[in-house]
Amino acid sequence: MTIILNASQKQSSKYYTPNEVAVHNATADIWVSYLGKVYNLTQLVQDHRENELIKPILAAAGKDISHWFDGETGDIKTYVNPTTGIKQYYTPHGRFIHIPPSFPSSNWAVDFGKVWWKNPIYELGILSKKTRNIRIVNTLTSKENTIEVCAEETLDQILERYLPYNFHAGSYTWKYNGKVLDMTATLEDNGVLDDDEDLDSLGMDTEQWLPAIHLYFNDDLTEA
């Protein structure tokens, strides 16, 4: 079965949750995040699978590795070797691909082009700074689903996340407290506020007080 998306849905989600990154933690499927962005390093690993220097990256699969980097330069952290007085990359988890050896070596090839952590071909999108759960209630079927979304996403992007639960999600009008939602705006911009911190401070179960978005069928299956 082929899913036909409208123009806004054809674009891949720009934002990713930490949980979405975490599930890509296998040798044949490796994502990581660092400095606020998400990267797919699967091809890098496949290209260097016989190289011992790939091991630190394998160990980091599905994780955030921002602590490897200098936030100001976007490069791997460095330090001055107390023995040689030379500035070197700081790799406490072990030297990895594209990191030069500590001492001159005839085996060190420098013809690889851009280092992987600065190569845009691996970049997927942005790591969400804040995620939240919302309830989506289909008033036609009374079916309810709770999904995790990124606070930065528009309702159109949230609709894309919801498609696996409802193939015809685009044929519904989305409302919150009876008000039609602007699908090009975020939840917060639509007045669907995130009260988790306030609820936590009151000792209340946030899962019991999730905001509910109600979907009303338009009797129009031209969108899916």
Side-chain angles (χ1 to χ4, degrees), residues 11-175:
Q11 300 177 356
S12 298
S13 179
K14 184 178 181 180
Y15 294 94
Y16 296 89
T17 71
N19 285 330
E20 286 178 304
V21 177
V23 298
H24 297 273
N25 58 8
T27 303
D29 180 25
I30 290 185
W31 289 15
V32 298
S33 60
Y34 55 90
L35 303 181
K37 292 188 178 181
V38 176
Y39 298 83
N40 183 345
L41 301 184
T42 305
Q43 190 59 54
L44 176 74
V45 170
Q46 293 303 310
D47 291 343
H48 298 276
R49 56 185 176 275
E50 303 299 330
N51 193 326
E52 287 289 314
L53 298 182
I54 205 65
K55 287 184 176 180
I57 295 175
L58 290 172
K63 302 175 183 177
D64 186 85
I65 55 173
S66 295
H67 57 286
W68 291 13
F69 296 85
D70 182 322
E72 293 184 2
T73 66
D75 205 351
I76 304 296
K77 290 179 178 177
T78 60
Y79 74 106
V80 176
N81 187 308
T83 302
T84 64
I86 298 174
K87 186 168 72 172
Q88 298 176 189
Y89 285 117
Y90 180 63
T91 56
H93 303 286
R95 180 174 159 236
F96 48 82
I97 296 295
H98 297 168
I99 293 291
S102 301
F103 301 95
S105 172
S106 59
N107 295 327
W108 172 242
V110 295
D111 58 352
F112 48 76
K114 287 187 176 181
V115 291
W116 62 262
W117 57 90
K118 289 188 174 182
N119 196 328
I121 67 170
Y122 301 116
E123 186 178 324
L124 290 176
I126 300 173
L127 183 69
S128 177
K129 293 181 179 179
K130 178 70 169 67
T131 65
R132 57 184 298 192
N133 291 331
I134 59 169
R135 290 187 297 136
I136 299 181
V137 181
N138 185 332
T139 60
L140 179 66
T141 64
S142 298
K143 187 174 181 180
E144 179 179 317
N145 299 99
T146 298
I147 63 174
E148 183 184 30
V149 302
C150 301
E152 303 92 340
E153 290 179 314
T154 65
L155 268 295
D156 274 328
Q157 290 172 310
I158 292 173
L159 184 155
E160 185 175 349
R161 287 185 180 276
Y162 178 65
L163 280 176
Y165 303 98
N166 185 346
F167 179 80
H168 293 292
S171 290
Y172 287 73
T173 296
W174 292 47
K175 294 184 178 182

